[in-house]
Amino acid sequence: MISKAGLAVLDALSTGREATPAELAAETGYSREHLYDVLDELLAAGLLTETRGPSNQRRVRIAEHPVTEAYRTLQSEFSHVDWTELLSPATLRVCWYLDRPRHIADIADRLGITRQGVHSALSPLKHRALLSRSDSKYALRDEVSPLLAFARATVEHEHRARAREIAPSATIAWCDPKRSLVRVQTDEDTDALRTAPDWEMTGLGRFAAYGLQFFLAGEPPFWYAPDEELTPAEVVCHTLLLDSGSRRVSYSMLLIEAEDIDQETLVETARWYDLEPTVKALYRPLQGDFDRTDNLPVILPKKDEYIALKEQYGVS
């Protein structure tokens, strides 16, 4: 995650000019030694480009990148705000969840930090009246949507960089500050992620672990969530997030029945993926109602087709 010093460098270079480490140290107030480390990190992340001047002197400028573009938009629309003072890595992570009103406890649980940690991260935004509050829930004000866009760009970039160190073809299908769901395009990348720490196969490729073996077209998706168990409910959500076609819906229903995933657990998991209406619809036929199919977000299987599928895979 980009640091305050990193933001200060982007701020100083926002006009598109070049600068030396010495010039940046003088403008930002950070030591030259610290700036060298910060510049190396930003260069490695692709956020800066570097040239060499007379006497091999380093000169850097902002690169064209989703993160830098998002920050420039934020700066241009809110030039009166000192974002380098307001935005810490912790604040950016919390901002990810402020696209809608959320309880502090929910954000804390999702990030794996204390409620006080969330309050501390939000404190600079509260002081600048950048948050709305309703029924003990917080969200970013609509007019500061560029801040949400910047937070999301930085988080997604962090996950993409991590995945591509192992699997160069990886693309992000979904992420939050702690977790990511990625697709890959080559056998080599699949093999690399299979053996990499903290990565697990998910989606349809994971169903075999529950006794359901399906034909998998293409490479399987992978899940990054260190120190967290990959649950059947998560696997159902990943499957539907990547493909909510009728066949995947039927397979997901099989997994729900095979693992006896209760509706409350799956709906709670699905809300982080914006899949609540979809998973609720899946429980209609599982509870015997195959007839009401109007205005549903997915196509449900016909009763005889699903019963035949259950018999084929031995799901009782």
Side-chain angles (χ1 to χ4, degrees):
M1 183 67 67
I2 191 168
S3 66
K4 280 183 171 288
L7 281 181
V9 169
L10 296 185
D11 219 57
L13 298 174
S14 62
T15 60
R17 70 184 180 93
E18 287 188 339
T20 66
E23 291 168 341
L24 291 171
E27 291 179 40
T28 63
Y30 291 96
S31 71
R32 192 180 305 186
E33 290 74 16
H34 183 52
L35 256 296
Y36 277 125
D37 292 335
V38 172
L39 294 179
D40 287 342
E41 291 173 1
L42 295 176
L43 287 163
L47 305 186
L48 298 181
T49 60
E50 181 183 57
T51 58
R52 293 285 175 167
S55 304
N56 204 34
Q57 186 180 49
R58 298 176 73 181
R59 302 188 67 84
V60 295
R61 68 166 52 208
I62 286 182
E64 292 186 9
H65 190 281
V67 171
T68 58
E69 290 304 307
Y71 188 58
R72 277 176 159 170
T73 299
L74 180 62
Q75 281 183 307
S76 66
E77 295 193 23
F78 298 92
S79 58
H80 60 287
V81 177
D82 186 352
W83 295 110
T84 63
E85 287 297 319
L86 292 186
L87 299 181
S88 66
T91 300
L92 285 172
R93 290 186 180 96
V94 171
C95 281
W96 174 277
Y97 295 104
L98 299 181
D99 59 326
R100 68 193 69 180
R102 297 191 194 272
H103 287 293
I104 294 294
D106 290 339
I107 298 173
D109 288 345
R110 195 68 180 167
L111 285 173
I113 62 177
T114 65
R115 297 182 188 185
Q116 183 56 46
V118 176
H119 278 295
S120 296
L122 290 178
S123 180
L125 304 182
K126 291 178 187 176
H127 293 326
R128 290 304 301 255
L130 299 177
L131 300 178
S132 62
R133 184 177 180 181
S134 175
D135 298 327
S136 300
K137 295 181 179 180
Y138 289 92
L140 284 172
R141 294 188 178 277
D142 291 341
E143 56 267 32
V144 288
S145 59
L147 175 54
L148 177 64
F150 175 58
R152 297 209 155 177
T154 57
V155 167
E156 186 168 336
H157 169 69
E158 185 177 31
H159 282 298
R160 186 185 299 111
R162 179 187 297 108
R164 288 184 177 173
E165 283 183 0
I166 305 168
S169 70
T171 57
I172 305 297
W174 179 94
C175 67
D176 74 6
K178 287 189 65 179
R179 308 156 187 85
S180 64
L181 176 66
V182 306
R183 302 178 194 237
V184 296
Q185 300 179 35
T186 68
D187 292 339
E188 293 80 6
D189 285 353
T190 293
D191 291 341
L193 288 176
R194 280 181 194 269
T195 58
D198 299 327
W199 290 89
E200 295 187 74
M201 185 188 299
T202 187
L204 204 60
R206 185 78 177 191
F207 279 47
Y210 307 108
L212 299 170
Q213 183 72 57
F214 302 122
F215 170 74
L216 182 64
E219 302 301 322
F222 286 85
W223 179 237
Y224 175 84
D227 306 318
E228 292 186 10
E229 178 186 3
L230 178 57
T231 66
E234 296 278 5
V235 173
V236 169
C237 290
H238 299 163
T239 301
L240 295 171
L241 184 72
L242 294 168
D243 183 350
S244 59
S246 59
R247 178 60 69 176
R248 299 296 177 101
V249 167
S250 297
Y251 290 161
S252 296
M253 289 169 56
L254 285 183
L255 183 56
I256 291 170
E257 291 209 80
E259 292 299 304
D260 194 23
I261 308 172
D262 69 89
Q263 185 170 354
E264 183 179 353
T265 297
L266 187 52
V267 170
E268 173 66 18
T269 302
R271 73 188 183 94
W272 296 105
Y273 300 93
D274 293 327
L275 288 172
E276 304 102 307
T278 297
V279 300
K280 286 179 180 178
L282 266 58
Y283 279 90
R284 283 192 181 183
L286 293 177
Q287 295 165 350
D289 185 3
F290 281 86
D291 298 324
R292 291 187 301 154
T293 59
D294 293 339
N295 301 318
L296 293 181
V298 290
I299 298 175
L300 299 175
K302 295 184 181 267
K303 183 176 182 179
D304 55 347
E305 293 174 347
Y306 184 64
I307 290 175
L309 193 64
K310 286 180 61 174
E311 292 175 350
Q312 179 182 350
Y313 287 97
V315 176
S316 59

